[in-house]
Amino acid sequence: MKKLVDLRNITKSFGSQIVLDDLNLYIRENEFLTLLGPSGCGKTTTLRILGGFETPDTGSVIFDGSDITKLPPNKRQLNTVFQKYALFTHMTIAENIAFGLKIKHKPASYVKDKIKYALKLVNLDGFENRMPDSLSGGQQQRIAIARAIVNEPKLLLLDEPLGALDLKLRQDMQYELIRLKNELGITFIYVTHDQEEALTMSDTIVVMNQGYIQQIGTPESIYNEPENAFVADFIGDSNIIASTMIEDRLVQILGARFACVDEGFGRNKPVDVVIRPEDVELTLPEQGTIRGEVTHLIFKGVHYEMEVLANGFEWLVHSTKMFPVGTQVGIQVDPFNIQIMNKPESEDEEAVGVNE
Amino acid sequence: MIKSSVRKLYIALIFIFLYAPIVTLMVLSFNASRSRAKWGGFTLKWYRELFQNEVILAALSNTLLIALLSSLIATLIGTIACISMQAMKRRTRAVMMGVTNIPMLNAEIVTGISLMLLFITLGMKFGFLTILLAHITFNIPYVILSVMPRFKQLNPSTYEAALDLGASPLRAFFMVVFPDILPGVVSGFLMAFTMSLDDFIITHFTKGPGIDTLSTKIYSEVKKGIKPEMYALSAIIFTAVLVLLFLVNYIPKENKEKKEK
Amino acid sequence: MNRKALSAPYLFWITAFIVIPLGMVLYYGLTDKTGAFTLENIIAIATAEHSKALWIAIKFSLESTVICLLLAYPLAMILAGMQISQHSFIVFIFILPMWMNFLLRTLAWQTLLEKSGVINNILGFLHLPALNIINTPAAIILGMVYNFLPFMVLPIYNSLTKIDPNVINAARDLGANSVQTFARITLPLSLPGVISGITMVFVPALTTFVISTLLGGSKILLIGNVIEQEFTQAGNWHLGSGLSIVLMLFILINMILTAIFDKDGEGNAL
C-alpha cells in the first residue's frame, strides 16, 4: 500500500525539553495507526505536527507526496478530532458540522445533504438544531467526528477522543470508530495512552516513550513479542525478570533453566525475560520448573489473579484455577511464551526505563 | 443560626444606607426651593431649565464623549493586549499584568498627578485630549481584568479546530474565539464606561481651564451651592441607566429561550 | 498572525502613560527647583502640618476599613447564602450607585446629616438624640464607608461563593459546629477576599481629598488634601511629588502584604 504520510527526522523541543528526537515514521493509506504511550511521550506533539499546530525544529512532513512541514493547519487536507471535542458552543450542531464546508464556499444544498449524511453516519439524525451544551459527552464526541469527516479529509487525526467518556461508552465508541473507518475508507491516526483501546482498534501500533519510538507493529506482535521492557510493561501486565541466556533456546531464570525458542543472543548473555501472567502455569510443586507459595489471591471475574513468591520474585499469575493463599505450587512456562529481550545498552535506551 | 428575618433586616439596612443618598438626590430634583435643606414643594422646573443650561449640557456632552471614546479605545487596546499576552512567556506576562494593575492599585491622586506631570513635560495643552488619554489609561486595567479570565476559560482547541476545518487565523479568531470572549469584552467596556463617567480625581488633575466634565463642574460648584439642575440631570442619568440595564438583563434571555426551542 | 507584534500598542501605552509618569513623580519628588537631587521633599513629611495630615488620614482610613469589614462580612455571608442564581445581580446592585455622580452622592449626605435633616427628623420622631456629625471626622469616616463599602463586599462575596459547599458539609460531617466551621473553614478560605477588600478600601480612603473636602467642611486636612493643594494652588510640584512618594510607600506596603496573603489573586473584585 502507498505511503500517505512520511515523517522524516522530526525533532521538536520546548525550551530545554526535547519532546521528539529524530523521529521517523510513515503511515500507509487506509491504515488505522495508533500512537501509544504515557503522557509526555511525544505522541500528542507528533499529532500536532501532523495537524500543523506545531512546527518541527528539524525534519519534514511529507503528506500525499508533497512537503507540508510549513503549511498552516487551515491549508492541510486532513482534519482533527480534538480531545474534549472542541465544539463551538455558540453554534448549533448543524452550524458546527457545516463550519468547514461553509469556509470552502460549498453550495447550500450540498452542505445540507452533508450534514444529514454525517449525522446519520454517527447515529444522531435530527440533532441539527440542538446546541452542543445540550448533548451528552458521547454525543458531543460523535458530533466532533462528524464535523471533521464531512470535509472528506484523506487523513483523520484523533487526539485521545474517548478519554473523557466512561468505560462502557468508550467500548461502544471503539466499535463505532472501527465501523466508521471501514465505511469511510480514510486513514486514521489515533493517539491514546490506553493500551486496550490501541489493541482493539489499530492495524498498527507505535509505542512511544520520552520522544522515541519503542516499537512499531501489529497489536499481536506488540503484545506477544515486546522488544523491550518498557513495551512489555506498558502493554498489559507482565513479569519482567532479569535473566541469563545460557545458549540458544535455553535461558536461566531465577536460578532455574527454562527451555525457550529464541536464538542468536549469544552465550551467558544477561537478558530481560517477559512472561505474561496468563502464560504462567501453576502445577503441583513437584511438577514445576521452580517452586513457590501463593501470597495473594483476588477474584477478577474472568480469572483469578494471584501472586506467587518463587525464588525471591513475586510472579503475577492469571489463571482460571484457584489456589488459596499459602498453597505450595510449581511454576511452568511453555517455551513459546517466554519472550527474551536484550538489556538496554545505550544511555538513551536506559532512559526509557520501565518505571514511567 | 441567625433567623432569616434578621438577615433580611440587615440587608435592608445596608441597602437603605447605599441608596438613601440617591433617593435624596432624586427628591431634591423635584424640590421647588433652591436650598438643599428645605422642601419648597414639588416642581419640574429644574428639568425644564436643565435643557436650557448650556454650561451643564456642555459638561454632560464632554462627560459622555470622553466616557464613550475612552472606554472604546481602552476596550480595543485592552482586548488586543489580552490576545498578545496569550502568546507570551509566563514571566513576561506576569510583569505585564503587574504594570497593568498599577493604575487600579495605586492611589487615584498619584495617577492623576503623574499624568499631569507627564503632560506638562510634553508641553501638551490641558483639555479634552489630556483628559481622554488619562481616562483610557485608567480604563485599560478594567478591560483586561474582565477579558483575561475569558481567555483562561477558553478551550484552546476550538481555535485550532476552526483552523483545522480550513478557517484562516483571522477568520477563526472572529468566528470562534471572539464570540466566546465577547461577554468579557462587553462587561469590560461597561465597567470602563462606568469608571470614566464617575471619575473626578484624575480628571481634576488632567483637565484644562476651558473644559469641564460633570464631576469637575459639580466640584467647582460645591462652595457656591449646587445648581438644582444638576440633581435633575443625575436623576435622569440614573433612571436611564436603571431602565437600560434592566432591559439588557432581561430581554436577551427571552430571545435565547426562544432560540433553544 | 504574529501575536507578539500585537503587544506593541499596549507596551507603548503602559510605558508612556504608566511607567514614565511614575518615573516623573519620582524625579520631581527627589529634586528641587534647580533640578538638583534632594531628599527635602520626602523629609517634609516630618513637619508638624504634614505629619498631622498623614496621621489623620491613616487613622481615618484604618477606622473606615475596619467598619467596612465589620459591615461587609456578614452582608457577604448572607448574600452568598441566598443562592441567587444570578451572580451578576449582586455585583449589579453594588455597581449601580456609581451611575449617580460620586460627588453628588457624597454631598447628599450633607442633606441627610444636617441639624434639621432627614436623619435627625427620623431620630426625633423615634425620640432618639439628634446626630450632630456634619463637618466632623465622623462625617468623613461615614463618607469613606459609604463610598468604599462595595469594594469590601464584592471580593468577600466572591471568595465566599467560590467555597465548595461540600467542604463546609465535610466540616460539619467531621463534627464541627457552626461556629467552629466558620472559624476553621469559612473564614480562612475567604481570607483572600478579605485581604483584597482591605486593600481596595484602605488605599482610596488613605489618599482621598474629595470626601474630606465635601463632608469635613474644609477644616480637616488629610494628606490627600495637602498634596492636592501643592499641585493646584501652591504650585510646588516637587513637594507634592515628594509627599506622593511617601504616600506610595504606604500603598506599596499594603500591596506587599496583599501579595503575601493572596498569592493567586483570587480575591480580585469584579
Side-chain angles (χ1 to χ4, degrees):
Chain A
M1 256 184 293
K2 197 181 124 200
K3 280 186 196 175
L4 180 65
V5 180
D6 202 352
L7 296 170
R8 292 180 189 159
N9 310 100
I10 301 284
T11 300
K12 176 78 188 172
S13 48
F14 296 111
S16 61
Q17 198 199 349
I18 297 166
V19 181
L20 294 175
D21 195 352
D22 196 29
L23 178 115
N24 285 284
L25 178 68
Y26 63 86
I27 297 117
R28 284 182 294 257
E29 214 158 52
N30 215 4
E31 191 173 12
F32 193 130
L33 180 132
T34 300
L35 299 173
L36 175 67
S39 59
C41 72
K43 59 189 193 299
T44 298
T45 306
T46 309
L47 198 76
R48 289 175 62 80
I49 285 172
L50 278 165
F53 305 113
E54 304 287 354
T55 316
D57 300 336
T58 62
S60 51
V61 183
I62 311 296
F63 178 73
D64 210 13
S66 49
D67 187 336
I68 60 161
T69 317
K70 295 256 150 58
L71 204 66
N74 48 322
K75 301 269 196 283
R76 298 191 179 198
Q77 279 195 335
L78 49 84
N79 286 109
T80 310
V81 176
F82 289 86
Q83 212 171 0
K84 294 189 204 137
Y85 333 131
L87 295 180
F88 308 133
T89 48
H90 59 293
M91 299 179 188
T92 63
I93 297 305
E95 285 166 343
N96 263 281
I97 296 176
F99 189 91
L101 299 173
K102 281 189 180 153
I103 295 237
K104 291 180 199 90
H105 303 289
K106 300 282 186 200
S109 60
Y110 175 86
V111 173
K112 213 177 157 203
D113 287 349
K114 269 288 185 185
I115 293 170
K116 235 183 147 53
Y117 161 77
L119 283 175
K120 204 173 170 58
L121 200 65
V122 297
N123 291 326
L124 287 174
D125 312 67
F127 275 64
E128 281 89 344
N129 294 320
R130 298 274 292 268
M131 297 302 281
D133 289 344
S134 70
L135 268 55
S136 70
Q139 289 171 331
Q140 292 192 32
Q141 184 54 67
R142 287 156 194 257
I143 297 302
I145 294 168
R147 184 179 67 180
I149 58 179
V150 287
N151 303 289
E152 299 176 359
K154 287 188 179 157
L155 173 63
L156 191 65
L157 308 176
L158 302 105
D159 184 7
E160 308 221 11
L162 309 183
L165 304 180
D166 61 48
L167 181 66
K168 185 76 185 68
L169 206 53
R170 207 153 63 215
Q171 287 169 342
D172 291 347
M173 281 303 289
Q174 288 173 13
Y175 293 112
E176 196 89 337
L177 280 171
I178 299 170
R179 177 183 65 81
L180 271 175
K181 178 173 169 300
N182 292 337
E183 276 181 38
L184 293 165
I186 53 179
T187 311
F188 276 34
I189 299 184
Y190 192 95
V191 159
T192 185
H193 62 264
D194 181 334
Q195 42 117 352
E196 190 209 314
E197 236 170 69
L199 293 171
T200 312
M201 296 190 287
S202 325
D203 301 320
T204 307
I205 296 177
V206 178
V207 184
M208 295 180 72
N209 189 35
Q210 303 199 349
Y212 294 96
I213 292 177
Q214 302 292 321
Q215 188 172 356
I216 303 178
T218 62
E220 290 86 349
S221 69
I222 296 273
Y223 188 83
N224 292 328
E225 296 144 35
E227 281 171 14
N228 60 36
F230 173 80
V231 177
D233 191 59
F234 193 73
I235 309 283
D237 296 322
S238 48
N239 297 292
I240 302 169
I241 310 164
S243 309
T244 311
M245 199 72 184
I246 303 294
E247 55 185 55
D248 282 356
R249 297 167 191 248
L250 188 64
V251 61
Q252 178 164 311
I253 304 170
L254 303 168
R257 295 192 173 197
F258 284 77
C260 64
V261 294
D262 294 82
E263 297 176 352
F265 283 88
R267 287 177 160 265
N268 297 320
K269 190 92 197 297
V271 290
D272 279 330
V273 163
V274 176
I275 303 169
R276 295 285 177 195
E278 64 270 26
D279 294 334
V280 180
E281 294 168 39
L282 297 184
T283 60
L284 291 172
E286 55 276 13
Q287 291 169 357
T289 314
I290 53 178
R291 288 183 184 200
E293 183 186 319
V294 178
T295 55
H296 282 97
L297 170 71
I298 304 168
F299 177 57
K300 286 279 208 174
V302 285
H303 58 74
Y304 292 93
E305 182 172 293
M306 284 164 281
E307 276 174 32
V308 176
L309 184 64
N311 291 15
F313 184 81
E314 289 268 356
W315 294 67
L316 188 68
V317 183
H318 291 171
S319 169
T320 49
K321 273 183 275 175
M322 193 264 277
F323 295 83
V325 171
T327 314
Q328 296 294 320
V329 292
I331 287 177
Q332 256 186 15
V333 187
D334 186 297
F336 284 96
N337 290 330
I338 294 177
Q339 171 71 21
I340 311 286
M341 301 177 305
N342 272 316
K343 283 259 185 209
E345 281 165 14
S346 71
E347 270 183 36
D348 277 351
E349 277 181 79
E350 197 78 67
V352 302
V354 180
N355 298 318
E356 173 55 39
Chain B
M1 278 265 118
I2 315 160
K3 282 206 185 103
S4 92
S5 55
V6 177
R7 291 188 219 172
K8 278 181 188 146
L9 181 71
Y10 188 72
I11 293 189
L13 285 174
I14 297 275
F15 277 77
I16 290 173
F17 176 62
L18 282 177
Y19 283 85
I22 289 169
V23 174
T24 309
L25 290 170
M26 293 223 172
V27 172
L28 283 177
S29 73
F30 298 108
N31 184 5
S33 157
R34 254 186 187 277
S35 151
R36 270 191 297 116
K38 259 187 273 165
W39 177 251
F42 181 87
T43 180
L44 286 173
K45 185 169 76 174
W46 310 122
Y47 285 86
R48 277 195 303 275
E49 285 185 11
L50 165 68
F51 293 100
Q52 280 135 31
N53 187 328
E54 276 171 30
V55 182
I56 290 184
L57 289 180
L60 173 67
S61 88
N62 285 335
T63 307
L64 291 177
L65 198 60
I66 286 166
L68 187 69
L69 283 177
S70 69
S71 48
L72 272 178
I73 298 170
T75 305
L76 193 69
I77 297 177
T79 307
I80 293 175
C82 285
I83 298 168
S84 72
M85 274 193 257
Q86 299 310 307
M88 282 180 191
K89 288 198 185 112
R90 248 172 178 278
R91 196 172 292 170
T92 326
R93 184 156 66 186
V95 172
M96 289 276 275
M97 284 306 285
V99 180
T100 298
N101 286 332
I102 289 177
M104 243 172 27
L105 297 173
N106 203 347
E108 280 182 276
I109 186 170
V110 178
T111 307
I113 58 168
S114 72
L115 286 166
M116 177 183 170
L117 291 174
L118 173 79
F119 295 143
I120 288 171
T121 311
L122 292 176
M124 288 176 73
K125 193 171 162 289
F126 280 68
F128 187 87
L129 183 64
T130 50
I131 302 177
L132 183 65
L133 289 173
H135 279 228
I136 294 169
T137 303
F138 76 73
N139 276 340
I140 291 176
Y142 292 100
V143 175
I144 291 185
L145 207 70
S146 105
V147 175
M148 213 51 166
R150 287 276 161 182
F151 272 102
K152 284 197 185 127
Q153 288 166 16
L154 207 66
N155 179 353
S157 301
T158 52
Y159 173 71
E160 293 185 346
L163 292 181
D164 184 81
L165 295 167
S168 66
L170 205 62
R171 191 156 176 192
F173 175 79
F174 279 107
M175 288 185 77
V176 175
V177 179
F178 194 67
D180 276 356
I181 62 163
L182 188 61
V185 174
V186 171
S187 71
F189 170 80
L190 288 177
M191 201 66 214
F193 190 83
T194 310
M195 289 298 164
S196 170
L197 210 63
D198 201 41
D199 176 72
F200 163 70
I201 297 174
I202 293 170
T203 317
H204 179 63
F205 288 103
T206 50
K207 84 179 196 74
I211 186 165
D212 264 315
T213 63
L214 286 175
S215 293
T216 59
K217 188 81 206 134
I218 292 165
Y219 192 73
S220 68
E221 285 178 357
V222 167
K223 295 269 153 58
K224 326 173 235 173
I226 307 284
K227 289 198 178 70
E229 291 98 314
M230 271 303 181
Y231 301 139
L233 178 60
S234 51
I236 292 174
I237 295 176
F238 186 79
T239 314
V241 169
L242 196 63
V243 171
L244 199 73
L245 286 180
F246 189 79
L247 293 179
V248 168
N249 268 311
Y250 289 91
I251 286 181
K253 249 166 233 140
E254 278 169 29
N255 282 347
K256 216 186 203 172
E257 274 160 28
K258 271 179 208 149
K259 202 177 171 189
E260 274 169 13
K261 279 167 200 167
Chain C
M1 182 163 49
N2 187 351
R3 288 192 174 191
K4 282 204 175 132
L6 284 176
S7 66
Y10 185 59
L11 265 177
F12 166 77
W13 198 279
I14 55 178
T15 311
F17 294 104
I18 297 176
V19 180
I20 293 177
L22 279 181
M24 305 202 62
V25 173
L26 286 180
Y27 171 78
Y28 273 92
L30 295 172
T31 53
D32 60 20
K33 286 198 172 72
T34 63
F37 174 81
T38 174
L39 283 175
E40 239 170 68
N41 303 313
I42 309 276
I43 296 164
I45 194 67
T47 63
E49 181 198 0
H50 294 154
S51 57
K52 189 180 166 224
L54 180 64
W55 166 240
I56 296 176
I58 292 173
K59 187 165 166 279
F60 286 7
S61 54
L62 281 179
E63 283 169 1
S64 54
T65 307
V66 170
I67 296 171
C68 277
L69 184 58
L70 293 178
L71 287 177
Y73 204 98
L75 181 68
M77 276 194 77
I78 297 170
L79 292 174
M82 282 196 334
Q83 321 222 323
I84 290 170
S85 57
Q86 272 183 298
H87 173 81
S88 59
F89 181 72
I90 302 283
V91 179
F92 166 75
I93 278 179
F94 285 95
I95 299 289
L96 191 61
M98 284 189 196
W99 288 82
M100 192 67 122
N101 189 283
F102 142 67
L103 298 166
L104 288 181
R105 266 184 290 142
T106 309
L107 277 172
W109 278 106
Q110 279 195 357
T111 312
L112 288 167
L113 292 173
E114 257 157 346
K115 273 204 181 106
S116 54
V118 182
I119 289 178
N120 279 336
N121 274 330
I122 295 172
L123 289 176
F125 182 75
L126 297 172
H127 300 289
L128 291 168
L131 219 60
N132 280 315
I133 62 167
I134 189 87
N135 296 342
T136 64
I140 297 179
I141 290 172
L142 179 120
M144 288 175 175
V145 172
Y146 171 70
N147 271 298
F148 306 132
L149 183 63
F151 300 121
M152 186 67 90
V153 176
L154 293 176
I156 298 179
Y157 170 74
N158 275 348
S159 63
L160 283 175
T161 51
K162 270 185 205 147
I163 299 176
D164 180 352
N166 276 339
V167 173
I168 307 290
N169 294 341
R172 301 306 298 265
D173 179 78
L174 295 168
N177 63 32
S178 52
V179 176
Q180 288 167 324
T181 308
F182 175 77
R184 303 226 183 136
I185 309 292
T186 314
L187 189 62
L189 284 176
S190 66
L191 213 55
V194 172
I195 300 291
S196 164
I198 289 174
T199 318
M200 293 183 71
V201 173
F202 180 74
V203 171
L206 177 71
T207 58
T208 187
F209 65 92
V210 183
I211 294 171
S212 45
T213 307
L214 296 183
L215 295 177
S218 333
K219 278 177 288 186
I220 301 161
L221 288 185
L222 304 185
I223 187 71
N225 296 80
V226 175
I227 295 173
E228 194 261 347
Q229 284 170 9
E230 286 306 327
F231 274 91
T232 57
Q233 289 160 33
N236 189 344
W237 303 336
H238 297 276
L239 180 56
S241 299
L243 297 177
S244 299
I245 293 173
V246 176
L247 203 54
M248 275 198 282
L249 286 180
F250 278 89
I251 298 168
L252 204 64
I253 292 169
N254 194 305
M255 276 162 71
I256 290 167
L257 288 178
T258 311
I260 292 170
F261 283 104
D262 184 17
K263 289 189 187 81
D264 316 319
E266 274 181 62
N268 278 331
L270 304 168

